[in-house]
Amino acid sequence: MSHETVGSLLAVIANSLNDGLRILMFADKRAWGSDEFEQLRLLEETLDEAKKDFQELPALVNGRFYYENDRISESLEDLRDLCTRFELHAQTFKDWVRQGGGPIDPNWAHETTILRRDLHRAQCRAARRIHTAQQVDSATGSARCLGALQVYRVQQRPNVSVDEERLVCAQTGRFERFGEHDVAFVCDFCDGFLVWEDLRAVPTTRLQQHQPQPIQNVTSNANANANTPTSATNTASNSAQTSSGSGEGVTASTNWQARGITMTTSEAKTIVFAPVAIANHLPPELGDFRCRVLCPHCDEYYYEEQGEDDMERVRYVQDARGFDGVKALQEHLEWSHASIVPSTSSCRIM
């Protein structure tokens, strides 16, 4: 029976990185050029990022004990493959020093960069699998991807700045071109894609928006009709009183619009601001690669129907599966939440 765990395999990888670092640190640097110093820097940064992930990710899954001792087969398979690759990478530097040093192949730096990226994603995926298993066991909690939850929690803070949102998004995944005209965000935790169609580049700021209708009025009007959505908790009320950094009394999720430029015609277009979509995405369904997305405004709202049991009467407005991508979410926001969509003539374009 194998005694491998996530923690033991990560230790093997760390040893391989340390082997490569020691070789370069104690090598004769008198004849070194930029390639050699760049290789040393990349190995140091790879080890530092791996340590940072190992320290921070366990907090997302109820502690280091669960993370280090996890034995989910998919995670172990990912890390075994990385163990082999890092060992071969370290062997490259051992062979190099045995042959007397000399110029380093610049392709080794590229390989280190790829390994660093793959190790980060493997650790994120391992944490996500633990989180998913814990959600199944508890039968409670959010359906959001673990990466989405990190962005969502930041957006619920008072006076969160757009720089904070961008930082946590960068820690969650990356943007890349998708085909000739589209842009996609690829989540490191669930490997899912969020796609913005016909977009030249992802906007880094929002459009300035009007303050939405106070949530207290919405709730009081809703209570007048049994079939009208009411707030399930005080979450929506609390979030409506926070600021996104672009206006008083507007949450980061309420202020969802951004201005982009189309790839095909170079015309301005309104899109869902990337951190809002990222904070509300769900892991892809089996056999799919695109993420579905929850509406941040419908997430906590429900209505009551006739029935004997309290739980039987509760019907949530939003389907647990959310919407079929970013475009469908934008159409829903513009159609169902028109009261919070300002006229573009009164907006300041960033």
Side-chain angles (χ1 to χ4, degrees), residues 267-283:
E267 296 177 351
K269 64 179 292 190
T270 299
I271 66 167
V272 176
F273 186 50
V276 174
I278 295 168
N280 294 283
H281 79 268
L282 307 175

Side-chain angles (χ1 to χ4, degrees), residues 111-124:
E111 184 179 355
T112 304
T113 302
I114 294 174
L115 286 170
R116 172 184 176 177
R117 181 70 191 172
D118 289 348
L119 178 57
H120 171 71
R121 294 182 66 191
Q123 290 205 70
C124 289

Side-chain angles (χ1 to χ4, degrees), residues 3 13 103 107 112 131 141 157 174 191 214 246 251 291 316 328 337:
H3 296 287
I13 292 171
N107 290 325
T112 304
H131 173 76
R157 299 174 188 168
R174 69 192 187 281
D191 291 329
S246 59
T251 66
C291 298
Y316 282 91
H337 303 285

Side-chain angles (χ1 to χ4, degrees), residues 184-253:
F185 177 84
V186 186
C187 178
D188 288 336
F189 289 83
C190 67
D191 291 329
F193 282 62
L194 288 166
V195 180
W196 284 261
E197 298 177 359
D198 194 12
L199 188 64
R200 176 170 296 174
V202 178
T204 57
T205 56
R206 294 174 168 86
L207 287 174
Q208 183 178 359
Q209 292 186 291
H210 294 302
Q211 180 174 336
Q213 183 182 6
I215 194 68
Q216 291 86 350
N217 294 342
V218 175
T219 305
S220 61
N221 292 337
N223 288 334
N225 190 328
N227 289 328
T228 303
T230 60
S231 177
T233 66
N234 290 330
T235 302
S237 179
N238 293 337
S239 64
Q241 297 171 5
T242 63
S243 170
S244 65
S246 59
E248 294 287 339
V250 180
T251 66
S253 58

Side-chain angles (χ1 to χ4, degrees), residues 13-285:
I13 292 171
N15 287 335
S16 295
L17 277 169
N18 278 318
D19 288 344
L21 268 174
R22 278 194 296 268
I23 291 169
L24 291 180
M25 290 177 68
F26 292 107
D28 185 356
K29 300 179 178 61
R30 288 175 295 181
W32 274 24
S34 59
D35 290 338
E36 288 74 24
F37 284 105
E38 176 68 6
Q39 179 65 70
L40 177 60
R41 183 187 67 83
L42 287 173
L43 285 174
E44 290 174 335
E45 290 182 352
T46 300
L47 183 59
D48 289 343
E49 183 178 72
K51 289 179 178 178
K52 180 174 180 289
D53 288 339
F54 186 70
Q55 292 168 354
E56 295 180 355
L57 289 173
L60 308 180
V61 292
N62 298 328
R64 181 165 293 179
F65 176 83
Y66 295 98
Y67 186 73
E68 287 189 32
N69 295 286
D70 178 52
R71 294 183 178 179
I72 295 176
S73 59
E74 293 90 341
S75 298
L76 297 183
E77 187 63 33
D78 282 352
L79 292 172
R80 283 193 203 102
D81 178 65
L82 281 170
C83 282
T84 302
R85 292 168 61 191
F86 272 98
E87 287 172 356
L88 291 173
H89 197 48
Q91 187 62 46
T92 299
F93 300 111
K94 294 175 183 177
D95 295 340
W96 168 78
V97 78
R98 287 195 190 103
Q99 294 169 8
I104 275 184
D105 188 342
N107 290 325
W108 297 351
H110 179 63
E111 184 179 355
T112 304
T113 302
I114 294 174
L115 286 170
R116 172 184 176 177
R117 181 70 191 172
D118 289 348
L119 178 57
H120 171 71
R121 294 182 66 191
Q123 290 205 70
C124 289
R125 288 196 297 265
R128 185 258 302 171
R129 294 183 185 110
I130 299 170
H131 173 76
T132 301
Q134 291 174 343
Q135 295 296 94
V136 171
D137 291 341
S138 65
T140 60
S142 173
R144 287 177 175 83
C145 166
L146 181 59
L149 276 175
Q150 310 320 304
V151 185
Y152 179 79
R153 288 165 181 164
V154 168
Q155 290 183 343
Q156 303 312 300
R157 299 174 188 168
N159 303 315
V160 61
S161 70
V162 71
D163 289 335
E164 291 177 277
E165 291 180 273
R166 291 204 298 261
L167 177 61
V168 71
C169 287
Q171 296 170 346
T172 301
R174 69 192 187 281
F175 290 96
E176 61 182 42
R177 293 234 59 94
F178 186 75
E180 295 183 1
H181 304 137
D182 305 337
V183 173
F185 177 84
V186 186
C187 178
D188 288 336
F189 289 83
C190 67
D191 291 329
F193 282 62
L194 288 166
V195 180
W196 284 261
E197 298 177 359
D198 194 12
L199 188 64
R200 176 170 296 174
V202 178
T204 57
T205 56
R206 294 174 168 86
L207 287 174
Q208 183 178 359
Q209 292 186 291
H210 294 302
Q211 180 174 336
Q213 183 182 6
I215 194 68
Q216 291 86 350
N217 294 342
V218 175
T219 305
S220 61
N221 292 337
N223 288 334
N225 190 328
N227 289 328
T228 303
T230 60
S231 177
T233 66
N234 290 330
T235 302
S237 179
N238 293 337
S239 64
Q241 297 171 5
T242 63
S243 170
S244 65
S246 59
E248 294 287 339
V250 180
T251 66
S253 58
T254 299
N255 195 0
W256 61 266
Q257 290 185 315
R259 178 61 54 84
I261 303 296
T262 62
M263 191 72 175
T264 54
T265 63
S266 298
E267 296 177 351
K269 64 179 292 190
T270 299
I271 66 167
V272 176
F273 186 50
V276 174
I278 295 168
N280 294 283
H281 79 268
L282 307 175
E285 296 181 345

